[in-house]
Amino acid sequence: MNNQNITSLLQEDRLFEPSEQFKQNASMSSKKEYDDIRKLAQEHPLEFWEKQAQNLHWFESWKTILEWDYPHASWFKEGKINASYNCLDRHINSSHKDKIAIYWEGEPGDTKSFTYSELHKQVCKMANGLLSLGIQKGDVVAIYMGMIPEAIIAMLACARIGATHNVIFGGFSSDSLRDRIQDSQAKCLITQDIVFRKGVELSLRQTAQEAVLQCNSIQHTIIFQRTKHQCSVSSDIDILWHELIENQPDNHIAQGFDSEHPLFILYTSGSTGKPKGLLHTTGGYLTQAHYTFTRVFDINNEDIFFCTADIGWITGHSYVTYGPLSAGATILIYEGVLVYPDAHRIWNIIEQYKATILYTAPTAIRTFMKLGDQFPLAHNLSSLRLLGTVGEPINPEAWIWYKSIIGKDMCPIVDTWWQTETGGIMIAPIPGIIATKPGSATLPLPGILANVVHKDGSQCDINEGGYLVIMSPWPGMARTIYGDNERYKKVYWSEYPPNTEHQGYYFTGDGARIDKDGYFWIMGRVDDVVNVSGHRLGTAEVESALVSHPAIAEAAVIAKPDDIKGNVLIAFVTIKKDVNVDINSLKQELKDHVSMHIGSIARPEDIRFTESLPKTRSGKIMRRLLREIISTGIISGDTTTLEDFNVLEHLREEE
Ligand code: WT7
């Protein structure tokens, strides 16, 4: 954790009340109802969460609401629950049976939809298929797919039989896939032949095949055929999806698993090289996904919820799959690039399907904004009633654009702060109640106790920047880092351990401030993790990819603010002695090298060559100085711990 003070520069005083039109139809618009909920959550938090859990189906009720054994929580212990049952069976036994669960549009324009009862059948077939392969409760199943309904079917089929899914973003390279399969010891991999991206067919299956060669744990690879091309199996562990489910019954009796049974592992970047596999369990996670989805998005039976996040990120888990489907909502998902073949695409989709809620990332909003108002203005977007953002701080300019051009000043904006680790939304407005300010995620949701504190744990003053912490356990919290409990303790729970005043604070790694109205303003990461296009990247991971190149001795990667992506990566590298290279072609080669080893999301925008990197006497690279060089070109901070002052001069000459 950095020591330096966090200074906030943003001054934003505009306040927007929910429109009367929105309030009229909102499921919660009475201040009294909100105040009652908030009061209950404050005075009796366990009772409050118990009430939320009661909105789900449990095979058996819990005996204890929360058991807190710092830093481990168990929620709804001894309760028995099945996430897949909650997302399917309880709807097909109600009037939702023939309601659309999923509308899907492929990038080339092909479409599919599933009613709840159709989705149930497909999930049951797949669950039976997995069982027929010998996959059992507790086994890990890796899912490496694009945004197609079958990815959701695969997740729910795993959940149904108690297998723990590990979804790996389809944009990751074969090395990244291999690492995540190896770390989770997955027994089975579910993938697809190809995905469409900007009109190009990318072979996921081939990337998967390369990875599997180095993964001894994998006993079966299931391949879904996205295209009509005949796809053949190439090894005896391969099986085609449609052949696997062909003769499987379309019914399967779901059983209840322990509330704390592992539902999924999801990898995210940390400040050291290795990605962290966050482990989420069933009852608490689903409670929070359901509660936050219904409240923050003010869901009603007619809504068509369009979340643009990929299934490979936590947003895809909580607000494509588990939140919406547990609530019996209709989701709209899209396979490809939102501005392909042109900037009309996303608006066209909203218009055609009459989406009522759009949930997307600030980086996407800034892209739409830059492409021009004429694209959204050419479409009838009047079906929209609510807009959401997630993934990074949104700059007020983009917020106002989103509100006026997309929302026509009628739709409230819910800026939702949360993390892979939190499982569900933590800080966000309840849209019919809470007035919004551009750039603020507003208030912690009822049930969530957040604060901004100094390094010593004392509360920061109004508007004083500090560290964002969560002061008490919440149901959706990750339970550990898979296979590395020590790291879990160290990263999240060692900054603010229990003392006479509290039971330990969760350290988010974000800087923030709280204004005079109690509104939270997130100021970004305080560790060596950077946010590029709404996704966290550990600079250490990119550095390690760079030094794996034979010409590179050392590397330091920092973030540079960018109008569209939030940040882009700039890499400083030193070349090994006696290596003779052409700098320009090496630059290109290194960028490709990072794309190949991690995925194009981590591709550096620029590579700077230097003779040495600025380091402290103990040998730590001073990324802070590199950041200063990049943002101002001037070094003003304290440099007395620098090992070699000359280094800075060289770096500046590179400008
Ligand atoms: C980090 C978590 C949560 C799903 C997507 C990202 C940043 C997230 C906001 C927001 C400001 C935000 C934080 C956080 N972040 N939402 N509304 N305002 N910053 O999940 O990859 O786990 O990243 O994203 O820095 O710590 P993630």
Side-chain angles (χ1 to χ4, degrees):
M1 179 158 110
N2 289 347
N3 244 331
Q4 75 233 52
N5 285 334
I6 304 170
T7 320
S8 168
L9 298 172
L10 187 70
Q11 267 295 337
E12 176 59 66
D13 299 319
R14 286 171 285 188
L15 185 76
F16 295 90
E17 296 288 344
S19 70
E20 277 312 313
Q21 191 194 355
F22 184 86
K23 277 169 98 167
Q24 268 169 22
N25 300 311
S27 63
M28 202 204 285
S29 61
S30 124
K31 187 81 174 48
K32 162 116 188 20
E33 189 188 352
Y34 174 78
D35 288 343
D36 287 350
I37 289 181
R38 178 137 234 135
K39 189 158 176 265
L40 173 67
Q42 261 156 12
E43 290 170 7
H44 306 286
L46 296 185
E47 232 175 87
F48 167 82
W49 283 117
E50 177 164 58
K51 260 184 110 163
Q52 307 314 317
Q54 281 158 353
N55 291 326
L56 299 173
H57 169 274
W58 295 78
F59 288 87
E60 278 173 45
S61 191
W62 50 88
K63 299 224 165 71
T64 340
I65 302 171
L66 167 67
E67 204 177 88
W68 178 237
D69 179 10
Y70 163 85
H72 295 287
S74 302
W75 282 90
F76 312 116
K77 224 174 156 183
E78 288 167 76
K80 297 260 187 280
I81 186 164
N82 186 302
S84 184
Y85 185 98
N86 270 284
C87 291
L88 301 166
D89 304 52
R90 66 177 184 143
H91 307 312
I92 62 163
N93 297 327
S94 78
S95 57
H96 286 9
K97 185 168 177 284
D98 298 318
K99 181 176 173 176
I100 296 288
I102 305 177
Y103 282 119
W104 172 79
E105 184 162 306
E107 199 191 68
D110 47 343
T111 62
K112 264 190 194 178
S113 65
F114 293 81
T115 63
Y116 270 96
S117 106
E118 287 163 347
L119 187 65
H120 175 259
K121 284 188 177 137
Q122 291 304 315
V123 170
C124 287
K125 273 173 158 296
M126 191 60 194
N128 289 323
L130 289 171
L131 289 170
S132 76
L133 295 176
I135 307 297
Q136 293 174 355
K137 172 182 165 191
D139 288 341
V140 175
V141 174
I143 300 175
Y144 182 61
M145 301 178 90
M147 276 308 279
I148 57 173
E150 287 72 16
I152 298 171
I153 292 172
M155 290 165 87
L156 293 175
C158 289
R160 197 162 185 96
I161 62 168
T164 301
H165 59 69
N166 169 15
V167 182
I168 298 143
F169 173 54
F172 275 131
S173 67
S174 120
D175 286 5
S176 298
L177 174 62
R178 175 201 61 204
D179 293 348
R180 286 159 176 76
I181 292 178
Q182 283 180 350
D183 190 70
S184 67
Q185 284 298 298
K187 241 174 128 171
C188 173
L189 170 66
I190 309 181
T191 187
Q192 63 190 78
D193 51 355
I194 60 107
V195 284
F196 286 95
R197 240 191 126 66
K198 287 198 188 153
V200 178
E201 295 188 10
L202 300 176
S203 174
L204 275 195
R205 193 254 180 118
Q206 197 184 330
T207 316
Q209 224 165 1
E210 284 163 29
V212 169
L213 284 177
Q214 296 172 62
C215 298
N216 294 332
S217 62
I218 295 287
Q219 296 172 5
H220 305 279
T221 305
I222 302 168
I223 306 154
F224 176 76
Q225 227 172 270
R226 163 76 180 89
T227 57
K228 296 270 177 286
H229 314 315
Q230 202 49 42
C231 172
S232 58
V233 294
S234 54
S235 93
D236 52 10
I237 67 165
D238 289 351
I239 179 160
L240 296 178
W241 172 297
H242 63 269
E243 286 177 6
L244 175 66
I245 65 166
E246 205 167 26
N247 295 317
Q248 296 296 340
D250 62 8
N251 203 5
H252 166 271
I253 310 271
Q255 87 186 74
F257 301 113
D258 285 339
S259 177
E260 284 298 332
H261 182 69
L263 180 62
F264 65 88
I265 302 167
L266 184 61
Y267 285 81
T268 189
S269 300
S271 54
T272 63
K274 204 172 157 222
K276 302 176 285 197
L278 274 318
L279 181 78
H280 283 279
T281 58
T282 313
Y285 168 79
L286 202 62
T287 297
Q288 187 148 356
H290 183 88
Y291 159 64
T292 53
F293 175 71
T294 51
R295 287 307 187 190
V296 175
F297 297 109
D298 179 59
I299 287 299
N300 65 45
N301 196 27
E302 282 75 47
D303 274 319
I304 295 177
F305 183 75
F306 183 19
C307 170
T308 66
D310 192 277
I311 208 81
W313 312 113
I314 190 71
T315 310
H317 285 58
S318 304
Y319 302 106
V320 173
T321 304
Y322 291 109
L325 300 182
S326 70
T330 298
I331 60 166
L332 166 59
I333 56 171
Y334 167 63
E335 178 183 40
V337 172
L338 294 168
V339 294
Y340 180 84
D342 59 32
H344 286 291
R345 189 59 183 270
I346 177 175
W347 315 119
N348 197 26
I349 293 176
I350 292 171
E351 183 174 21
Q352 263 184 21
Y353 292 87
K354 299 195 168 43
T356 59
I357 303 170
L358 172 65
Y359 190 34
T360 193
T363 180
I365 297 168
R366 288 188 296 263
T367 304
F368 306 145
M369 203 173 140
K370 191 176 161 210
L371 288 167
D373 298 359
Q374 68 273 28
F375 297 101
L377 292 180
H379 299 269
N380 177 358
L381 303 180
S382 61
S383 57
L384 288 173
R385 63 179 197 95
L386 179 64
L387 304 171
T389 74
V390 59
E392 58 181 309
I394 180 164
N395 47 313
E397 193 194 353
W399 195 98
I400 295 287
W401 182 86
Y402 197 30
K403 182 171 161 44
S404 60
I405 303 295
I406 307 307
K408 311 280 187 257
D409 289 324
M410 309 275 240
C411 309
I413 295 185
V414 288
D415 175 348
T416 62
W417 178 89
W418 58 297
Q419 310 178 297
T420 305
E421 292 84 348
T422 69
I425 296 171
M426 303 289 276
I427 306 179
I430 303 284
I433 304 278
I434 305 294
T436 52
K437 303 184 186 186
S440 168
T442 76
L443 306 171
L445 290 175
I448 302 300
L449 269 180
N451 204 354
V452 174
V453 297
H454 297 113
K455 196 165 166 47
D456 66 6
S458 59
Q459 166 131 25
C460 287
D461 284 340
I462 288 175
N463 284 327
E464 185 189 359
Y467 302 102
L468 177 65
V469 295
I470 311 297
M471 299 159 80
S472 63
W474 64 101
M477 66 198 286
R479 301 302 195 253
T480 188
I481 293 175
Y482 191 73
D484 199 349
N485 201 28
E486 281 311 306
R487 189 173 176 202
Y488 171 75
K489 284 190 199 158
K490 186 163 177 287
V491 175
Y492 304 111
W493 297 96
S494 64
E495 299 291 344
Y496 302 102
N499 59 28
T500 48
E501 277 154 40
H502 64 78
Q503 302 197 317
Y505 291 166
Y506 166 81
F507 176 61
T508 64
D510 279 356
R513 68 179 166 95
I514 303 178
D515 72 12
K516 62 178 192 334
D517 302 322
Y519 279 44
F520 283 63
W521 299 77
I522 311 295
M523 290 150 57
R525 303 290 308 178
V526 296
D527 50 17
D528 288 325
V529 171
V530 298
N531 196 315
V532 177
S533 300
H535 299 299
R536 271 195 296 177
L537 293 174
T539 49
E541 264 173 273
V542 186
E543 288 163 4
S544 110
L546 285 163
V547 296
S548 74
H549 187 283
I552 300 304
E554 279 188 307
V557 171
I558 56 143
K560 177 184 165 198
D562 178 85
D563 282 353
I564 303 283
K565 295 181 173 173
N567 290 292
V568 291
L569 297 179
I570 307 291
F572 289 86
V573 297
T574 64
I575 300 178
K576 279 186 189 156
K577 285 203 177 62
D578 309 326
V579 175
N580 265 329
V581 284
D582 167 50
I583 293 292
N584 279 330
S585 58
L586 182 60
K587 238 186 202 189
Q588 197 54 37
E589 207 178 302
L590 288 172
K591 289 184 186 179
D592 294 345
H593 186 79
V594 173
S595 299
M596 198 178 84
H597 283 271
I598 303 180
S600 51
I601 182 171
R603 188 182 180 87
E605 178 81 7
D606 193 14
I607 311 256
R608 305 254 185 136
F609 296 93
T610 166
E611 259 172 41
S612 49
L613 292 167
K615 288 187 190 150
T616 62
R617 282 165 215 270
S618 63
K620 276 194 181 161
I621 296 175
M622 298 184 79
R623 293 184 185 76
R624 172 169 62 85
L625 297 182
L626 299 174
R627 273 194 290 270
E628 275 184 48
I629 292 179
I630 286 295
S631 59
T632 61
I634 308 160
I635 311 290
S636 56
D638 180 15
T639 54
T640 46
T641 51
L642 260 187
E643 185 199 49
D644 175 9
F645 294 91
N646 292 330
V647 165
L648 291 179
E649 295 308 318
H650 293 306
L651 288 170
R652 255 183 293 185
E653 282 161 21
E654 289 278 310
E655 290 287 300

